[in-house]
Amino acid sequence: MTWTPPAAPGWYADPLGRHEHRYWDGAAWTGHVADQGATGLDPADVAATSGPAPGVGTPAGPPPTGPPPAGPGAAAPTAPPSRTGPPVALIAGLAVAVVAVIGIVAFVALRDDGSSGSSASSSATGGTGVLTGVVQEGVAPELHRVQVPDGARLVATARPSAELDADLHLAVDEALLRQMLEEFLLEGVDDPEQVAGDVQRAVDELLDGTYEYDPDLGGYVLDNEVGGMPGDVAVLDSADAVVGGQLPLRAGTYVVTVTGYDGTEGSYELEIDIR
């Protein structure tokens, strides 16, 4: 089959077959690619790709919604700075897929009918130590605010009375959760500015769909643990909440609460430890 270079630069079917479209600048293939209208960079050595220039005619599929990466007659762009993370165009999708799994694991056991609360008194200092309280239906849950240093691990243990099925919650405000998610998604990226837009969109999607905002706690729930039966001890470990430390806690204020699962009531002793 005979191929003829197009009269002007444009988006055409990727000759490598790796993406829906690749940009032809009028003289050579570039590293700019597009899939389903979203543009990105593929650092493949397209100059060494065997095969003719794209044929004249309408490019395969609709063109990307964004502007072309180079004007007519411009030289093929150089590859982006080296980085150990995934290609720029894929970071948002990969981030959502990876952290969505974390969200599913964290919330699959989430059980709270919202009908119970607690009142508590504390002998703790700085939010840690041993606290005692009572869970009563119709009473708002007591919010135990804990100051956590950067990279530390929070462990909360609830020892309920025989009639109370203790339900432990760990929550954080939006600003701190955003910081942790952004740092997680940018890990291994040499040029954060290059992917800032993709990361911001990925974090927005996570806050909208994966992490649950609880107005009673004033923040997003990172983890929830239930004793299982009335009188059973419930243990919440932040290392488990973020899947083995992939999303370590950053310095700030976190909220720990105890409620009664399935409307159960009773007293409890709560021990909060920072490790």
Side-chain angles (χ1 to χ4, degrees):
M1 180 177 180
T2 301
W3 291 74
T4 304
W11 292 98
Y12 298 86
D14 183 4
L16 297 177
R18 294 168 57 159
H19 302 274
E20 291 180 359
H21 299 80
R22 186 175 291 273
Y23 194 77
W24 172 262
D25 67 0
W29 292 110
T30 73
H32 293 270
V33 295
D35 294 284
Q36 299 181 352
T39 60
L41 290 174
D42 184 341
D45 185 7
V46 294
T49 302
S50 61
V56 178
T58 303
T65 56
T78 58
S82 62
R83 46 191 291 261
T84 57
V88 176
L90 301 180
I91 187 170
L94 290 176
V96 171
V98 170
V99 188
V101 173
I102 297 176
I104 292 171
V105 172
F107 289 103
V108 70
L110 182 60
R111 305 182 298 171
D112 185 4
D113 61 2
S115 63
S116 62
S118 68
S119 60
S121 60
S122 171
S123 61
T125 302
T128 61
V130 179
L131 308 93
T132 58
V134 177
V135 174
Q136 295 175 301
E137 189 169 355
V139 178
E142 180 78 9
L143 305 182
H144 305 291
R145 292 181 172 84
V146 185
Q147 293 296 323
V148 177
D150 194 58
R153 174 181 168 195
L154 184 152
V155 178
T157 304
R159 301 179 179 89
S161 58
E163 63 275 13
L164 174 64
D165 189 357
D167 197 352
L168 266 172
H169 310 267
L170 175 64
V172 64
D173 65 29
E174 179 178 341
L176 197 51
L177 180 56
R178 278 186 176 276
Q179 177 189 346
M180 292 190 290
L181 290 173
E182 288 172 2
E183 290 179 1
F184 170 72
L185 296 177
L186 287 172
E187 183 178 358
V189 177
D190 293 337
D191 187 359
E193 292 185 3
Q194 185 182 22
V195 296
D198 289 329
V199 169
Q200 193 64 253
R201 284 188 291 273
V203 171
D204 289 341
E205 290 182 16
L206 290 168
L207 294 181
D208 287 341
T210 300
Y211 289 92
E212 177 182 344
Y213 180 82
D214 190 328
D216 290 336
L217 305 183
Y220 287 84
V221 179
L222 288 179
D223 194 22
N224 165 246
E225 295 291 341
V226 181
M229 294 291 291
D232 286 354
V233 173
V235 178
L236 186 152
D237 188 333
S238 67
D240 297 331
V242 295
V243 189
Q246 290 186 31
L247 193 67
L249 300 185
R250 290 309 179 198
T253 303
Y254 295 77
V255 174
V256 178
T257 61
V258 180
T259 60
Y261 174 66
D262 202 22
T264 57
E265 300 178 320
S267 60
Y268 64 85
E269 179 183 273
L270 174 63
E271 181 178 357
I272 301 176
D273 184 24
I274 300 298
R275 303 176 183 179

